[in-house]
Amino acid sequence: MRQTLTVLGLLTTAIAVASVAAGEPRTQRHAIQDAVSASTRTPANIARDKYRHPVETLSFFGVKPGQTVVEIWPGGGWYTEILAPLTAAKGTLYAAAPWPNGVKGVQALQAKNPAVFGHVKLAAFPWAEGQPKVPDGSADIVLTFRNVHNWRMGYQRNGQDYSAEAFAQMFAMLKPGGVLGIEDHRLPESASDEREKNSGYIKVSTVRRLAEQAGFKFVAASEVNANARDTADWPQGVWTLPPSYTLKDVDRAKYAAIGESDRMTLKFRKP
């Protein structure tokens, strides 16, 4: 009888431990879902969830409440509208962009709704002497969405590729064990490297090379943001597709049916 009770006790403990372990990702996912469902999000941004899959993407990267999160180049704040409520109660959120104009989108959100966005800290990226920065070794997770191709193209640097510098700075701001999450427009590996300079697309192999040269270790890739309809060979590059529609009304229905670009979703870790 005692042996039976012991076995039952061990089984009960194992089940309890398994339940806690299984419950952790659900809790994380629920927190992200709550942030995605926040009433403060812009309707036009919500309409793009079907292309950007924010719940699945942030869950894959391992974003959790209580972390120090850095969003690199937030632009108008599409992901900031999700990350701010996710980190508002506990945690820290940095918005890091070319200083000072690159953070104006986040500043507009702060002015409109300080209760939700007031805690967001602003920093320069890439950082230069005399500018506010994300402290070295402070971040649990750094996220950048559709930006590596900009650094490769030399956007805001007179066409000079500064992607290696950008990765080095992201590496510096992370704690040991911290995560780098990257989403970007995916160029087929068979395409010419020259197309990375003007198409808005970039190869997975290029991103991995840049990350690994900076010291990151590759963890995993997700196809959550893949789009097989995107052949990445459009007349005006990735901007031919929605939401840019650079060709305006020319073949607009065709490009609307394709949807937003095929995207890589890559996770790296700082040793």
Side-chain angles (χ1 to χ4, degrees), residues 29 32-33 36 41-61 71-83 143-147 149-150 182-185 200 222-227 229 238-239 241-245 258-266:
R29 191 179 179 92
I32 294 171
Q33 182 63 70
V36 170
R41 291 189 67 206
T42 307
N45 286 348
I46 295 171
R48 299 176 69 186
D49 286 358
K50 63 182 179 180
Y51 301 119
R52 297 191 168 185
H53 314 101
V55 174
E56 295 82 0
T57 300
L58 295 178
S59 296
F60 171 70
F61 290 146
E71 183 184 4
I72 302 291
W73 283 30
W78 197 94
Y79 260 104
T80 313
E81 287 191 347
I82 298 169
L83 295 170
L143 304 171
T144 189
F145 302 96
R146 301 167 306 284
N147 287 314
H149 70 275
N150 286 316
I182 293 176
E183 178 209 291
D184 215 326
H185 311 294
S222 170
E223 290 299 296
V224 67
N225 293 303
N227 180 0
R229 295 184 297 275
V238 72
W239 305 282
L241 299 177
S244 297
Y245 289 115
I258 292 167
E260 295 193 13
S261 67
D262 174 52
R263 293 163 184 168
M264 68 182 84
T265 307
L266 307 178

Side-chain angles (χ1 to χ4, degrees), residues 94-242:
Y94 283 91
W99 195 261
N101 292 335
V103 296
K104 285 184 176 179
V106 176
Q107 288 175 319
L109 292 174
Q110 291 179 318
K112 182 179 179 180
N113 194 334
V116 175
F117 301 101
H119 71 287
V120 181
K121 299 183 178 182
L122 307 179
F125 185 88
W127 173 80
E129 193 68 38
Q131 297 175 337
K133 66 179 293 189
V134 177
D136 289 351
S138 64
D140 295 295
I141 186 162
V142 173
L143 304 171
T144 189
F145 302 96
R146 301 167 306 284
N147 287 314
V148 180
H149 70 275
N150 286 316
W151 310 331
R152 180 93 166 102
M153 292 169 59
Y155 179 64
Q156 297 201 356
R157 285 285 185 92
N158 297 317
Q160 298 300 309
D161 181 352
Y162 58 101
S163 51
E165 176 189 348
F167 274 84
Q169 289 197 14
M170 291 189 293
F171 188 87
M173 63 181 64
L174 278 163
K175 301 173 182 177
V179 167
L180 171 65
I182 293 176
E183 178 209 291
D184 215 326
H185 311 294
R186 178 163 46 190
L187 183 67
E189 293 296 323
S190 59
S192 167
D193 290 348
E194 287 297 307
R195 292 190 54 210
E196 292 185 341
K197 298 179 181 179
N198 56 29
S199 70
Y201 291 93
I202 189 168
K203 295 181 181 182
V204 170
S205 59
T206 299
V207 176
R208 286 197 57 173
R209 173 178 56 80
L210 289 165
E212 289 164 1
Q213 285 178 345
F216 287 102
K217 301 297 183 184
F218 176 70
V219 176
S222 170
E223 290 299 296
V224 67
N225 293 303
N227 180 0
R229 295 184 297 275
D230 177 16
T231 55
D233 57 358
W234 311 114
Q236 296 295 321
V238 72
W239 305 282
T240 307
L241 299 177

Side-chain angles (χ1 to χ4, degrees), residues 234-235 241 245 250-259:
W234 311 114
L241 299 177
Y245 289 115
V250 176
D251 293 328
R252 190 180 183 93
K254 168 188 171 181
Y255 298 125
I258 292 167

